[in-house]
């Protein structure tokens, strides 16, 4: 009898620990983020690498996923009220400040160094030149810590970075690889003037946060992530990738 009960107990334990789609069957999970091309918006509709990641992850658990794109404050308020299950581009500090449950980081893309093709720079040379360019607030800490190392630091939009580096009006620029790939494809004439360092400067990581009122079986989700960590949506670049 004991030889029979032990395998049965092990099987029941495994069933309890494994992700279960039966619990999710028929549930409509609402995930939200603010508009942010190319990660969250494709044209005027939800789409992009972050949207695809969240849809695929939750569909693995049998959930039917609806993506709503809201202004950031509205998305946060909806999650706090339980109208939205997941905020999928929240930072850890933001999630905790608004009473959401921080779940796990999502690696989006490497941040890489751009320079002119005739004056190629590698990452260690980034801070030894005249002008450094960055796009977006997330470079603030990096720039502030090295402000004394260059003559000028500017934070501008991505296309301006590409144009200034291509026209030799700046020595270097920082940009996410996901954005750069799109820009180089859209503006091939600028791409011909750009050198991309194969060594990343840093990575862009965002966070998956759940509402306290979520219908998601968070315990199963966490077990899944613990046993199978999420791989980068865009693989880290290597020295032979470019």
């Amino acid at each position: 009898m004991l030889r029979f009960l032990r395998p049965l107990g092990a099987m029941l334990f495994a069933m309890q620990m494994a992700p279960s789609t039966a619990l999710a069957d028929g549930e409509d999970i609402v995930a939200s983020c603010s508009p942010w091309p190319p990660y969250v918006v494709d044209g005027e509709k939800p789409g992009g690498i972050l949207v695809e990641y969240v849809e695929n992850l939750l569909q693995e658990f049998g959930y039917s996923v609806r993506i709503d794109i809201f202004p950031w404050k509205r998305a946060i308020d909806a999650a706090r009220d339980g109208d939205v299950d997941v905020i999928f581009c929240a930072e850890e500090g933001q999630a905790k400040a608004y009473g959401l449950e921080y779940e796990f980081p999502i690696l989006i893309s490497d941040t890489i160094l751009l320079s002119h093709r005739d004056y190629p720079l590698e990452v260690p040379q980034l801070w030894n030149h005249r002008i450094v360019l960055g796009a977006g607030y997330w470079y603030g800490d990096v720039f502030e810590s090295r402000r004394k190392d260059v003559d000028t630091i500017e934070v501008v939009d991505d296309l301006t970075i590409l144009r200034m580096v291509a026209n030799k009006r700046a020595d270097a620029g920082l940009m996410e690889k996901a954005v750069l790939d799109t820009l180089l494809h859209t503006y091939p004439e600028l791409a011909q003037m750009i050198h991309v360092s194969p060594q990343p400067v840093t990575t862009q990581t965002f966070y998956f946060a759940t509402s306290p009122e979520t219908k998601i079986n968070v315990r199963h989700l966490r077990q899944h992530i613990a046993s199978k960590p999420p791989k980068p949506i865009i693989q880290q670049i290597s020295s032979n990738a470019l």
Side-chain angles (χ1 to χ4, degrees):
M1 176 64 80
L2 285 177
R3 282 184 295 177
F4 170 78
L5 290 177
R6 282 172 183 163
L8 178 61
M11 183 175 65
L12 291 174
F13 178 79
M15 291 173 62
Q16 188 179 28
M17 294 295 287
S20 172
T21 58
L23 296 175
D25 187 35
E27 293 279 16
D28 185 23
I29 296 301
V30 182
S32 184
C33 187
S34 55
W36 185 18
Y39 300 110
V40 175
V41 176
D42 183 6
E44 297 181 354
K45 299 179 179 180
I49 54 179
L50 261 180
V51 170
E52 293 173 3
Y53 180 93
V54 172
E55 287 178 333
N56 291 338
L57 177 66
L58 294 177
Q59 285 171 2
E60 286 182 13
F61 287 81
Y63 294 109
S64 174
V65 186
R66 188 180 89 230
I67 305 293
D68 288 339
I69 305 302
F70 294 141
W72 183 240
K73 182 62 167 61
R74 182 180 170 190
I76 289 289
D77 288 343
R80 297 175 73 182
D81 294 340
D83 297 326
V84 164
D85 295 279
V86 174
I87 298 289
F88 58 88
C89 54
E91 295 177 350
E92 181 178 6
Q94 291 175 322
K96 293 180 177 178
Y98 287 102
L100 305 180
E101 298 295 328
Y102 161 73
E103 296 302 338
F104 52 84
I106 305 169
L107 175 59
I108 303 302
S109 178
D110 283 308
T111 296
I112 50 183
L113 173 65
L114 314 181
S115 53
H116 194 275
R117 76 171 182 192
D118 294 337
Y119 306 97
L121 300 179
E122 296 301 326
V123 173
Q125 299 173 287
L126 170 61
W127 306 105
N128 299 327
H129 290 76
R130 180 174 50 92
I131 299 177
V132 180
L133 299 171
Y137 67 89
W138 50 86
Y139 293 123
D141 292 341
V142 176
F143 278 5
E144 287 300 325
S145 67
R146 305 302 296 266
R147 185 168 289 279
K148 296 179 180 179
D149 297 340
V150 294
D151 294 336
T152 304
I153 292 177
E154 297 182 27
V155 178
V156 296
D157 65 273
D158 297 293
L159 184 54
T160 298
I161 289 180
L162 206 61
R163 286 173 171 163
M164 290 184 70
V165 172
N167 295 325
K168 303 179 185 178
R169 287 163 45 212
D171 292 306
L174 298 177
M175 192 182 299
E176 299 101 316
K177 187 175 184 296
V179 175
L180 178 65
D181 288 343
T182 299
L183 286 176
L184 294 184
H185 178 75
T186 306
Y187 302 97
E189 69 282 1
L190 294 177
Q192 296 176 9
M193 306 301 295
I194 296 295
H195 168 76
V196 181
S197 173
Q199 180 183 352
V201 177
T202 183
T203 58
Q204 295 302 320
T205 305
F206 293 88
Y207 298 91
F208 185 99
T210 57
S211 166
E213 306 298 326
T214 183
K215 298 183 290 292
I216 297 174
N217 189 322
V218 177
R219 182 174 66 88
H220 285 161
L221 190 65
R222 288 171 180 163
Q223 290 169 352
H224 172 74
I225 297 304
S227 61
K228 183 182 177 184
K231 62 183 179 181
I233 298 175
I234 293 194
Q235 297 294 332
Q236 295 189 29
I237 57 176
S238 61
S239 59
N240 57 5
L242 297 168

